[in-house]
Amino acid sequence: MSRIDPKLEFIAIRIAVLTVSDTRDASQDRSGDVLVDRLLKAGHELADRRILPDERDQIADQLRDWCNDSGIDVVISTGGTGLTGRDVSVEAHRDVYEKEIDAFGTVFTMISMQKIGTSAVQSRATGGVANGTYLFALPGSPGACKDAWDEILSKQLDYRHRPCNFVEILPRLDEHQRRK
């Protein structure tokens, strides 16, 4: 079963938060606020925060910029994961991914089912890796952001979490690029 190993030291990582919305500004970004509050309380560093409209190319360009920034380890976006025509975050993320973390969406759906029942099928939460950076696309609701952080990301982004976590393999995510 998963647990925190108290013998290990916590390692803070640098996380960027992107809110995808055609209508929200900083004063209305409750989902972004939830993520920032939780990552800071966990001891991580907020590396950057932005709000962009539901435009696939703009989202993908921002994700690529952050993946090319050595000061950012993880990017979490919120919004744009639904089924409507303007929901393009998942497509933008997949434009950037080198590898998709398939089980992230599955585990998120399992957690959501406990909270919102079959309505969970309408979410397309996803995770992946690009250029040594983790990327996660979460739904735009504060509740979904809480669930994703509290039940998945807080554990996987904690080096002390056992039996394994994302932080311990972070230095090896781009090892294929270093081999010549």
Side-chain angles (χ1 to χ4, degrees):
M1 191 53 109
S2 69
R3 63 182 173 80
I4 296 294
D5 184 342
K7 293 177 281 196
L8 297 174
E9 281 191 49
F10 178 81
I11 297 174
I13 56 173
R14 301 158 300 204
I15 303 173
V17 174
L18 174 63
T19 298
V20 175
S21 175
D22 287 332
T23 59
R24 293 184 196 156
D25 61 25
S27 69
Q28 304 159 322
D29 184 14
R30 291 186 9 232
S31 296
D33 290 344
V34 163
L35 291 169
V36 170
D37 180 59
R38 278 171 159 67
L39 74 89
L40 292 174
K41 282 183 179 172
H44 297 298
E45 176 186 331
L46 178 63
D48 201 354
R49 183 176 180 181
R50 306 272 170 96
I51 299 176
L52 288 177
D54 291 276
E55 296 292 339
R56 184 174 177 170
D57 291 341
Q58 287 183 44
I59 298 164
D61 286 346
Q62 182 62 66
L63 296 174
R64 284 186 194 97
D65 286 348
W66 279 338
C67 287
N68 289 324
D69 183 336
S70 63
I72 296 176
D73 302 310
V74 175
V75 175
I76 305 172
S77 71
T78 175
T81 64
L83 301 172
T84 71
R86 295 292 295 154
D87 290 323
V88 296
S89 290
V90 174
E91 289 76 18
H93 272 252
R94 289 183 174 149
D95 288 344
V96 176
Y97 291 165
E98 294 166 3
K99 294 183 179 184
E100 190 159 357
I101 305 170
D102 297 319
F104 180 81
T106 303
V107 172
F108 180 80
T109 300
M110 291 168 56
I111 292 163
S112 295
M113 284 284 297
Q114 296 171 12
K115 310 278 175 121
I116 61 173
T118 60
S119 295
V121 302
Q122 293 188 32
S123 171
R124 299 182 303 138
T126 184
V129 176
N131 200 28
T133 305
Y134 288 109
L135 301 140
F136 301 98
L138 308 179
S141 77
C145 289
K146 289 174 186 175
D147 292 344
W149 181 268
D150 295 350
E151 303 295 329
I152 305 170
L153 295 174
S154 67
K155 296 166 179 63
Q156 284 298 300
L157 298 178
D158 189 332
Y159 178 74
R160 304 166 302 168
H161 184 263
R162 293 290 169 253
C164 59
N165 61 77
F166 289 143
V167 179
E168 64 191 347
I169 59 172
L170 185 61
R172 296 179 40 220
L173 292 180
D174 63 354
E175 66 189 358
H176 65 288
Q177 296 171 344
R178 294 189 301 261
R179 288 190 210 142
K180 299 290 181 198

